Amino acid sequence: MRPGQIGAGMVAVLAAMALGGPALAQAPGAATPAPLPPAADQALGRAILKQMVEINSTHAFGSTTAAKAVADRMIGAGFAPGDVQVLIPPGHPDKGNVVVRLRGHGKAAPILYIGHLDVVEARREDWTYDPFVLTEKDGWFYGRGTIDMKGPDAAVMTSLIRLKREGFVPDRDIVAAFTADEEAGGDFSGIDWLLKAHRDLIDAALVMNPDDGGGEAGMKSGRKLYVGVQTSEKIYVTYQIEATDKGGHSSRPTAGNPIYRLSRALTRIESHPFPVDLTATTKAYFRGRAALESGQVKADMLDAGSPSPSPGAIARLASQVETDILMRTTCVATMIDGGQGESALPQRARAVIQCRVIPGEPVEDVKKALAAMIDDPAVTISVFTPPTPSPESPPSPEVIGAVAGVATVMWPGVVILPIMSAGASDSAFTRSAGIPSYGVDGIFDDVDDERAHGRDERIGVTAFSEELEFTYRLMKALAGGG
Ligand SMILES: [Zn+2]
């Protein structure tokens, strides 16, 4: 999960809250305990989680120590040294990555799991417990990265070791890449580098990314509600708009004043929303989400998810921010500056416009749309932060069906929600490289208690054991074989 990201689940839940009291009228997620792995695998998972949390892999320390620890553990568990590779980019000794391969029958192209090894900073004085010691307390594991994403990393490692020990030979290779630099301060993305420098080692037909903020499992007041499958992310691109003039003395106002020009431009941007654009994911999201809603909201979501949505339903959903942002590209003014002196006509005024583009819409068209809205050739538009284009991965029955098959057996009644995130994850790189990528994670977080990147980050002890079992079952289902 990157800084500033709104977790997909948060979007869903904020939507539920925004859309009124009777939301979540049905109560999926019965109280029957979910199946858990054998005790030995639960112990293994905890030991790996402890080891990973206690290796400080914040930006200052890097990820090489963690990558080597993963390699040692996998080789110790019986993986051939040739199937476990630590890869350190030249000139970046702290940005180590590790790629592990469980060999299959080669009946299909491999499936690739990706997980970042780095975590965001955490200061001891801000936390109740030492963030770099795994602390078990009252049914929780506390520690930096427990959610984002050493918990999910540990689940992938534990599942691979369990499959290896059981002698399971999948139909296709299962590859796992644990990588550097996804988080704040990231300056050398491990997955981006691996795709460019070692594509052969990680090439795959399918990527699974259990990062928090992509797919995630949501519960509210102890009720398990949904398992998200993140298929897409809005594309982040930022522009600067600027007006200039020769200036002069403030006693002689002129029509070319850049501050007035800029303010007219900003008002036009505000009053021209981008058109509604429902992707396959958003339609499937609304159809799934409807099961957790009631009344008019439920009807509107079913309508929006149908082949030809009605304008009324779209307008009602668009009246709430959290559903509106799922349906259209947005651009918003985030910074402004201008003028150079109290008694001088301004020579320059500029604003930063931050856009989140629906995947599939050409990013170049956003600039054209802004120019058309502004309708003033004297106001220039330039790229401030360029995009990483990342197409939607189709909400395919292969993946959604496998997730549903595993999740609804483990947690009867949960809804499977295809999700487009408002923020970005490492899946942007794999999607951009042409590999359909899906964010799925089975750690149920309380939607009202989001702690990724925050103080006292934690996961439930039982939720973690369930994640171990979920990851193992899903890995088998996707890879096939026996
Ligand atoms: Zn993350």
Side-chain angles (χ1 to χ4, degrees), residues 311-334:
I314 295 298
R316 280 186 293 274
L317 292 172
S319 70
Q320 303 291 337
V321 170
E322 300 305 337
T323 35
D324 186 51
I325 61 174
L326 301 177
M327 301 196 294
R328 69 176 92 240
T329 293
T330 61
C331 289
V332 63
T334 55

Side-chain angles (χ1 to χ4, degrees), residues 1-2 116 148-149 182-183 211-212 453:
M1 179 165 176
R2 290 182 183 281
H116 63 83
D148 187 12
M149 67 173 289
E182 193 266 355
E183 294 287 9
D211 196 0
D212 173 69
H453 293 207

Side-chain angles (χ1 to χ4, degrees), residues 81-102:
D83 289 339
V84 180
Q85 304 212 25
V86 174
L87 298 144
I88 301 172
H92 298 270
D94 298 333
K95 306 296 183 188
N97 308 276
V98 57
V99 177
V100 183
R101 180 175 298 262
L102 179 69

Side-chain angles (χ1 to χ4, degrees), residues 35 406 409-410 468-478:
V406 173
V409 166
M410 287 190 65
L468 294 174
E469 184 66 14
F470 175 74
T471 304
Y472 166 84
R473 291 185 182 205
L474 183 59
M475 198 178 264
K476 274 177 100 163
L478 290 168

Side-chain angles (χ1 to χ4, degrees), residues 407-458:
T408 55
V409 166
M410 287 190 65
W411 305 294
V414 294
V415 169
I416 308 304
L417 283 184
I419 281 172
M420 174 184 68
S421 297
S425 73
D426 269 351
S427 298
F429 293 106
T430 50
R431 290 194 183 109
S432 188
I435 311 174
S437 306
Y438 300 90
V440 181
D441 167 35
I443 299 176
F444 280 87
D445 291 332
D446 193 302
V447 295
D448 296 324
D449 188 20
E450 174 68 46
R451 296 192 184 203
H453 293 207
R455 72 186 286 274
D456 292 345
E457 183 178 347
R458 66 182 186 180

